[in-house]
Amino acid sequence: MHTVDVATPGGLYPIHIAPGRLDALAQVIPANATSIALVTNPTIDALMGERVLKALSGCGIRIVTVMLPDGEAYKNWETLNVIFDAMLGAQLDRRTVVVALGGGVIGDMAGFAAALYMRGVRFVQVPTTLLAQVDSSVGGKTAVNHPLGKNMIGAFYQPIAVEIDTDVLNTLADREMSAGLAEVIKYGLIMDAEFFSWCATHAAGLRERDPELLAIAIRRSCEFKAWVVSKDEREADLRAILNLGHTFGHAIEAGLGYGHWLHGEAVGCGLVMAADLSSELLGFPLQDVERVRELVTAIGCPVMAPKLAGIDQWMSLMQGDKKTEGGAINFVLMPRIGEAIRRTAPAELVARVIERNTV
Ligand code: NAD
Ligand code: GLY
């Protein structure tokens, strides 16, 4: 088993990565917990619910399962209330531990519910998609979407542990694997050129779920993310680099309506657009824009974005991004592969990049 520690001002928590980790979940439930709220959805429940209940029953405390509808379209305040209704209805107290069993949608919502329930109860992330294992379960960003913007309502709230069972990825749809790989290659682009090259060399094997390659990709991604979060938990500055591709990506997701493109697909396409804008603004080499495009294609993500209702809609969606300050859109850009900085960009350059990368 690999353990990666995440150090935050509120304390340290472990990420445990191993095949079969689901069966050991009872180990991370604190001894003074009175009950467990297991938050999941019917898709995941059908695949592993019974096994997880069996593992958690080892704690000898009450387990209340909270079933949410599946999908990004349900990542909203109404669904959050389903969690509160179930927890209050079952009279769960402040020593309850919320266990988020699922992808990023479940993790973000269950984490946000844990942050708010009785002003905060402990929670454990059990990410079951590649995207959640390499990104969303680590670092304490929790949120729901608002019709006017993605993840706009949320809180920083850290889990007490992240339990990654690499075996669960075997049942994941190919499209979801591709979406998760977009967040993996993002780490290479912002932090480590060698890791980017490693991803390019092993793109086919990663897509085919070679267990050894996936174990490396997950561990390295968690290490990158843990390092960034330990330096800047609340995104005062450095953590913003994790949003490479996301300003474009969030516009695609919100513009099409949540759930049409997967989050990771939108991020993958956004990485190409960010590389193109980096080339316009920072002299990022054109051949490296092509390397990014080739790798995003190789992992199975789209590289051309939808036109939406035109440049005006694109601009207005990007203006609404959380990274906008004083009306200027803050992009994460790359001077070169392996390094990221934040920059505002002139509207005409952004418009040119959108024109070139949309169909
Ligand atoms: P998701 O949670 O919607 O899961 C994708 C699909 O896979 C769902 O239908 C789910 O039921 C299914 N699924 C989950 N595990 C499975 C398994 N093992 N086998 C088969 N099917 C399985 O999507 P996601 O890509 O995991 O997460 C996307 C969300 O994560 C977005 O809302 C995004 O905003 C958020 N996110 C958050 C952060 C963060 O730092 N908090 C970072 C990145 C993304
Ligand atoms: N996924 C971006 C972050 O966690 O900051």
Side-chain angles (χ1 to χ4, degrees), residues 52-235:
V52 167
L53 280 176
K54 185 164 174 246
L56 288 173
S57 68
C59 301
I61 54 177
R62 188 172 162 218
I63 304 171
V64 173
T65 300
V66 184
M67 205 60 77
L68 305 184
D70 185 1
E72 182 78 36
Y74 297 100
K75 187 181 167 183
N76 54 33
W77 196 267
E78 205 184 339
T79 311
L80 202 63
N81 261 330
V82 173
I83 308 179
F84 297 140
D85 289 348
M87 292 178 71
L88 288 169
Q91 299 186 318
L92 300 187
D93 67 19
R94 302 180 81 169
R95 284 200 276 139
T96 298
V97 175
V98 172
V99 173
L101 176 70
V105 169
I106 290 288
D108 280 14
M109 281 199 291
F112 192 28
L116 297 179
Y117 188 73
M118 296 192 175
R119 301 199 182 90
V121 295
R122 292 165 291 185
F123 89 108
V124 174
Q125 287 274 19
V126 187
T128 62
T129 63
L130 180 61
L131 184 136
Q133 296 189 347
V134 299
D135 188 357
S136 64
S137 64
V138 176
K141 277 191 182 176
T142 71
V144 292
N145 298 329
H146 185 277
L148 294 180
K150 187 163 166 65
N151 295 333
M152 281 294 173
I153 315 293
F156 286 100
Y157 194 68
Q158 301 293 343
I160 56 170
V162 180
E163 298 300 305
I164 298 181
D165 186 333
T166 46
D167 280 347
V168 301
L169 300 179
N170 291 332
T171 52
L172 204 59
D174 289 344
R175 209 177 144 197
E176 303 286 353
M177 282 301 291
S178 296
L181 287 172
E183 299 279 12
V184 173
I185 65 174
K186 176 191 79 180
Y187 293 111
L189 286 171
I190 59 177
M191 291 176 77
D192 187 336
E194 259 181 50
F195 183 65
F196 178 84
S197 300
W198 180 88
C199 291
T201 305
H202 297 293
L206 287 164
R207 260 183 103 175
E208 285 156 17
R209 304 170 207 220
D210 177 305
E212 278 171 29
L213 293 175
L214 274 180
I216 295 171
I218 293 166
R219 179 175 52 81
R220 291 293 287 136
S221 298
C222 287
E223 285 168 353
F224 287 127
K225 183 140 187 195
W227 184 83
V228 172
V229 169
S230 68
K231 297 275 174 225
D232 178 21
E233 183 199 25
R234 300 276 166 137
E235 202 168 306

